[in-house]
């Protein structure tokens, strides 16, 4: 994949986020989108080596659309300034669709590569299941948090949007209560592709996802 060309394109899109510019540059978009699909297509078999559950994931469906959903947003920019994908065992990428834990990555207009694993802002019922799983399998969750590869790669779970008080139905002295307060159960890390582009981006992504696998596997047990 021509990563520098993608970053250049996304940067220009960020400065010209309108339909006229997008249509005029559609040939560039089509080429970059095809290369991104090729990257994801090659990435899935690498993930399958440590997580066979994602073998049935359709790479075309793993890619997110570049069009933004503007229905409930004050920002009326029509296009996202990222190329992104989520690889799941269910083949569904959105939490609202019941996609479950995912391996997610995106490249943005600043040349930032974000690599993540887990569940970001799952719907209410799914979030309740995960929180209950934290309490019911406290020992297993502790094992995930202490996993050497996960800690070295991601440090800890992200606590974006964490509640101040325990959620309804959970005692303040419940196991891992500070994690029970989380609204997402996900790890992520960011690196700058402007500083250095990996010789093999697919291999780099697969390594990051392998480090996140203990969390993904544990989340699948939350039912």
């Amino acid at each position: 994949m021509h990563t520098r060309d993608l970053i250049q394109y996304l940067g220009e899109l960020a400065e010209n986020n309108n339909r006229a510019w997008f249509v005029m540059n559609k040939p560039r978009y089509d080429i970059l989108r095809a290369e991104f699909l090729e990257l994801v297509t090659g990435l899935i078999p690498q993930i399958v080596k440590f997580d066979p559950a994602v073998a049935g994931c359709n790479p075309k469906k793993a890619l997110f659309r570049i069009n933004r959903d503007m229905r409930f947003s004050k920002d009326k920019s029509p296009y996202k300034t990222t190329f992104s994908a989520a690889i799941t065992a269910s083949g569904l990428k959105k939490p609202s669709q019941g996609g479950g834990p995912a391996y997610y990555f995106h490249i943005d207009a600043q040349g930032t590569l974000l690599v993540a694993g887990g569940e970001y802002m799952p719907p209410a019922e799914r979030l309740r299941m995960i929180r209950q799983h934290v309490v019911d399998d406290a020992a297993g969750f502790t094992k995930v948090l202490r996993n050497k590869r996960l800690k070295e790669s991601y440090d800890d779970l992200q606590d974006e949007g964490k509640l101040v008080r325990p959620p309804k139905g959970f005692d303040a002295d419940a196991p891992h209560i500070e994690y029970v307060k989380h609204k997402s159960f996900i790890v992520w890390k960011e690196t700058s592709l402007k500083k250095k582009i990996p010789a093999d981006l697919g291999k780099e992504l697969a390594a990051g996802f392998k480090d996140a696998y203990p969390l993904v596997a544990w989340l699948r047990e939350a039912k």
Side-chain angles (χ1 to χ4, degrees), residues 50-52 103 150 208-218 220:
F50 59 84
D51 187 358
Y103 301 105
L150 186 142
F209 292 150
K210 187 174 183 179
D211 293 342
Y213 172 69
L215 175 62
V216 171
W218 182 87
R220 289 196 188 123

Side-chain angles (χ1 to χ4, degrees), residues 36 39-40 43 83-87 103-107 113-116 201 205 209:
F36 194 72
L39 172 65
V40 174
L43 179 58
F83 267 33
S84 55
I87 297 164
Y103 301 105
Y104 172 88
F105 77 100
H106 75 222
I107 297 172
L113 171 65
L114 182 144
V115 180
L201 183 55
L205 290 166
F209 292 150

Side-chain angles (χ1 to χ4, degrees), residues 125-167:
E125 181 57 25
R126 175 61 183 165
L127 180 57
R128 185 199 64 77
M129 289 180 184
I130 297 172
R131 286 169 168 167
Q132 191 61 55
H133 190 40
V134 171
V135 174
D136 293 343
D137 185 30
F141 189 62
T142 297
K143 187 175 180 180
V144 171
L145 296 176
R146 292 178 179 175
N147 181 274
K148 183 178 179 180
R149 293 187 61 161
L150 186 142
K151 283 182 67 65
E152 289 180 351
S153 189
Y154 298 99
D155 186 33
D156 199 359
L157 272 65
Q158 296 290 330
D159 62 356
E160 187 177 275
K162 181 179 176 181
L163 298 174
V164 176
R165 298 181 180 83

Side-chain angles (χ1 to χ4, degrees), residues 13-108:
L13 176 59
E15 296 175 359
N16 304 275
N17 203 322
N18 59 75
R19 178 169 171 73
W21 187 92
F22 185 82
V23 171
M24 188 177 296
N25 288 271
K26 185 67 161 47
R28 293 173 66 193
Y29 169 78
D30 289 341
I31 292 170
L32 292 166
R33 181 80 170 182
E35 291 182 348
F36 194 72
L37 175 58
E38 184 178 355
L39 172 65
V40 174
T41 301
L43 179 58
I44 292 173
Q46 295 186 62
I47 298 174
V48 168
K49 292 177 181 178
F50 59 84
D51 187 358
V54 305
C57 183
N58 184 332
K60 290 184 178 180
K61 293 184 178 180
L63 271 60
F64 285 88
R65 298 172 67 245
I66 199 166
N67 300 78
R68 293 183 62 253
D69 184 350
M70 300 180 289
R71 291 174 298 172
F72 309 107
S73 175
K74 292 182 180 179
D75 180 2
K76 297 305 179 182
S77 302
Y79 305 107
K80 301 171 187 174
T81 54
T82 62
F83 267 33
S84 55
I87 297 164
T88 67
S90 67
L92 302 171
K93 56 182 174 285
K94 295 183 179 180
S96 60
Q97 297 174 334
Y103 301 105
Y104 172 88
F105 77 100
H106 75 222
I107 297 172
D108 69 15

